[in-house]
Amino acid sequence: MKRVLLLYRNAFGGLSRPAWMLSLIMFINRSGAMVIPFLGVYLTESLGYTLKEAGIILSIYGLGAVSGSFLGGWLTDRVGHFKVQLFSLTVGGSLYFMFLFLEEFQYIAAGVFILSLVNDMLRPANSASIAHYARPENVTRAFSLNRMALNLGFSIGPAIGGLVAAISYKYLFIGDGVASMMAGLFFFIYFRKRQGHKPQKAAASAAANTEKVRSPYTDGMYLVFILLNCGFAILFFQLLSTLPLYYRQVYVLPEARIGTLLALNGFIVFLFEMILVYLLGDKIKKAWLIPAGVLVLGSSFVVLNLGHHTSLLYMAMVLLSFSEILVMPFMATISVERSNDRNRGSYLGLYTISYAAAHVVAPYLGTTIASRYSFDTLWWILSVFAIAVSIGLYFVVQHIERERLSGKAKIAASEKGVTVG
């Protein structure tokens, strides 16, 4: 037991206080995450829309997320990550209340787009903030700490949301809005007087003037990486779109049971991610860890087709959760390492755009295949797609890591006055 406690202490040690506070704020925000996991069920069960119409609404949410991620990254490099995060948390939280009055399809679609646009401005700004406050040697663990807080919140939000939805779906919007605004208030109180949240200006030194500021949109290898990351996210985001519908329509699970299944994902990631990142991060190359995680995700869909028993649902959720642990922290680190202080907002904005774009494709793809063919067909297609994404990521991440190590070697050699060919 002492060895386990020491392992946890080492895994969490050395992280800065602002990194902890950012994680606490995201925990508060995510603890109210009740709407998105149940949005598809709300649209079909409460408002009577078809499976395909629900998929369209969920895809529109993704379109707003794409726009918000781009705008958030652009604004982070220009006005700083503090202002973008504060605006997203407070204004985004207030927007949930408008859904108390929206029932017609076109109004819901417009409302969902605006809501996701404002909410997803938070992601690149928050990532830039984590990278800023983290010590260089702890970047991956700082992102893992933040994700741990998100997933702990996600283990609470859907579980509460399942109970609340059984009473009235309207209360989901109230809970999500209140949690977001509370997180915004706490964020303002702690970070308003701290230095470092303003946009980075070009330094006056000759080194800074000669430093190349690369745009992620002209970085060919990074664009391929982003495309493959989007492929992974399309697979993963079945968690928030077709999986709840599958639980409801095929297994006829009540809302509370669906919430418990979704909460299991957050609980597993909360419990194991920091430990596994600490144990594996410096010992196994990203080019092996990330593709392996994608294959684990593909296997979770195969499990769903092995029979018809609720134990398979839990087994699949466990696999999906460990896939998330093996992939997401290291993907974020690649984006940080590929950027610098003057373009980090843009790089992390494009990185979050890949997830936002997946929010567009994942629900529409999943619901279309499931309604036209079957859920079984959907799970087989996704498992094959996971193999393709895994192979692509193996080669791309290997190339990116080789470039990064080569760049570090050149810098080290130049500091010693040696030319590296």
Side-chain angles (χ1 to χ4, degrees):
M1 189 64 185
K2 288 182 179 179
R3 293 179 63 184
V4 173
L5 293 175
L6 180 62
L7 184 61
Y8 271 88
R9 190 182 72 178
N10 291 339
F12 286 91
L15 296 169
S16 66
R17 180 173 292 181
W20 280 96
M21 297 308 293
L22 282 169
S23 298
L24 177 60
I25 289 161
M26 297 310 291
F27 166 72
I28 296 170
N29 182 41
R30 199 61 177 265
S31 294
M34 306 177 191
V35 170
I36 298 306
F38 288 97
L39 185 56
V41 180
Y42 167 67
L43 293 169
T44 54
E45 295 281 326
S46 183
L47 299 185
Y49 289 109
T50 65
L51 185 62
K52 188 172 183 179
E53 287 171 331
I56 292 171
I57 293 291
L58 292 170
S59 292
I60 290 172
Y61 182 93
L63 286 173
V66 170
S67 304
S69 297
F70 176 82
L71 183 59
W74 185 83
L75 287 172
T76 296
D77 285 336
R78 284 156 181 80
V79 304
H81 43 77
F82 173 81
K83 292 180 180 178
V84 177
Q85 289 178 90
L86 181 62
F87 175 83
S88 179
L89 287 168
T90 53
V91 176
S94 67
L95 290 174
Y96 281 102
F97 296 103
M98 68 179 173
F99 285 91
L100 298 174
F101 312 101
L102 301 180
E103 292 188 358
E104 293 187 25
F105 185 87
Q106 62 270 29
Y107 296 132
I108 293 176
V112 160
F113 178 85
I114 296 169
L115 175 72
S116 60
L117 184 146
V118 176
N119 279 346
D120 275 74
M121 288 171 60
L122 176 70
R123 296 179 184 274
N126 179 252
S127 297
S129 191
I130 294 167
H132 174 82
Y133 288 116
R135 298 183 179 96
E137 66 275 13
N138 290 334
V139 170
T140 302
R141 287 200 293 136
F143 274 100
S144 290
L145 177 66
N146 193 262
R147 284 178 32 73
M148 182 199 74
L150 288 170
N151 281 281
L152 179 59
F154 190 71
S155 69
I156 296 172
I160 297 174
L163 299 174
V164 171
I167 302 170
S168 173
Y169 282 98
K170 297 291 186 181
Y171 291 129
L172 297 176
F173 300 103
I174 296 173
D176 226 330
V178 170
S180 182
M181 290 190 291
M182 284 178 59
L185 176 63
F186 192 82
F187 174 80
F188 175 77
I189 291 172
Y190 184 81
F191 284 99
R192 72 187 190 281
K193 294 183 179 179
R194 298 192 69 87
Q195 298 297 315
H197 57 61
K198 295 181 180 180
Q200 297 293 324
K201 303 295 183 182
S205 66
N209 289 333
T210 57
E211 181 185 6
K212 183 179 179 181
V213 182
R214 178 168 50 182
S215 167
Y217 298 96
T218 60
D219 185 348
M221 186 54 61
Y222 186 71
L223 290 174
V224 177
F225 168 77
I226 287 298
L227 183 63
L228 290 167
N229 185 60
C230 182
F232 162 76
I234 289 170
L235 294 164
F236 180 78
F237 283 146
Q238 302 304 317
L239 172 69
L240 301 176
S241 53
T242 52
L243 274 174
L245 292 168
Y246 176 68
Y247 299 152
R248 183 68 170 174
Q249 296 188 7
V250 176
Y251 281 82
V252 200
L253 297 183
E255 288 87 346
R257 190 80 174 276
I258 294 173
T260 301
L261 263 169
L262 297 176
L264 178 62
N265 165 251
F267 183 73
I268 290 173
V269 175
F270 161 72
L271 204 59
F272 294 107
E273 180 168 313
M274 286 293 291
I275 296 298
L276 288 177
V277 168
Y278 174 72
L279 291 174
L280 303 177
D282 295 329
K283 297 179 178 63
I284 302 178
K285 293 180 180 179
K286 298 185 190 75
W288 288 103
L289 276 175
I290 292 172
V294 178
L295 288 177
V296 172
L297 179 57
S299 69
S300 74
F301 298 123
V302 173
V303 166
L304 294 174
N305 277 344
L306 295 181
H308 188 87
H309 195 278
T310 52
S311 62
L312 296 175
L313 301 182
Y314 286 94
M315 188 185 304
M317 186 60 72
V318 169
L319 290 171
L320 182 147
S321 302
F322 278 99
S323 166
E324 180 180 352
I325 292 171
L326 293 173
V327 176
M328 290 191 180
F330 302 102
M331 297 286 251
T333 302
I334 288 174
S335 296
V336 172
E337 292 172 344
R338 192 80 173 174
S339 61
N340 56 51
D341 287 340
R342 291 196 282 167
N343 61 8
R344 186 151 294 138
S346 297
Y347 264 84
L348 291 171
L350 183 55
Y351 174 69
T352 55
I353 282 174
S354 67
Y355 284 99
H359 265 303
V360 180
V361 179
Y364 184 78
L365 177 71
T367 55
T368 298
I369 294 175
S371 60
R372 184 171 297 178
Y373 302 102
S374 67
F375 279 104
D376 288 351
T377 302
L378 172 64
W379 306 141
W380 286 124
I381 290 173
L382 293 177
S383 61
V384 173
F385 184 50
I387 296 172
V389 172
S390 176
I391 293 171
L393 279 170
Y394 171 75
F395 289 106
V396 170
V397 173
Q398 193 174 55
H399 184 88
I400 287 176
E401 287 295 282
R402 194 182 302 121
E403 282 187 349
R404 182 178 67 86
L405 295 174
S406 175
K408 288 177 67 175
K410 287 181 180 179
I411 292 172
S414 65
E415 290 175 349
K416 296 179 181 179
V418 178
T419 301
V420 179

